[in-house]
Amino acid sequence: YRMHQNIEFGDRLRAARLRLGLTQSKLCSCAGISVARLRQIELGTAPPTVDDMSTLTKALGEQLLMTED
């Protein structure tokens, strides 16, 4: 069940990133995490920490606000 949750979060994260037109590198730069860590989260091979989820969703939200003009 936990692995399913990891994959689901990763899938949603990737979909949101792509919807905003962000590369993994750009999101990582905004969130302050490594590309390798983001890949693990998006693929569901490593569970995201609470800090990961908070940092990534905040970075996505900031990017969303920047694209809404």
Side-chain angles (χ1 to χ4, degrees):
Y1 179 73
R2 193 131 178 69
M3 183 65 154
H4 175 72
Q5 286 179 323
N6 294 345
I7 293 170
E8 186 176 315
F9 179 79
D11 287 344
R12 289 179 183 204
L13 178 65
R14 182 174 187 273
R17 177 178 62 78
L18 293 175
R19 245 190 331 270
L20 290 170
L22 298 174
T23 63
Q24 286 180 332
S25 182
K26 175 68 176 172
L27 178 57
C28 289
S29 176
C30 295
I33 68 166
S34 71
V35 173
R37 179 71 183 138
L38 178 60
R39 282 189 190 125
Q40 291 174 331
I41 294 168
E42 286 190 349
L43 292 172
T45 59
T49 65
V50 172
D51 285 343
D52 289 334
M53 290 188 286
S54 176
T55 302
L56 288 164
T57 55
K58 182 179 177 190
L60 284 171
E62 289 171 355
Q63 290 301 309
L64 177 64
L65 291 174
M66 291 176 67
T67 60
E68 291 182 348
D69 287 23

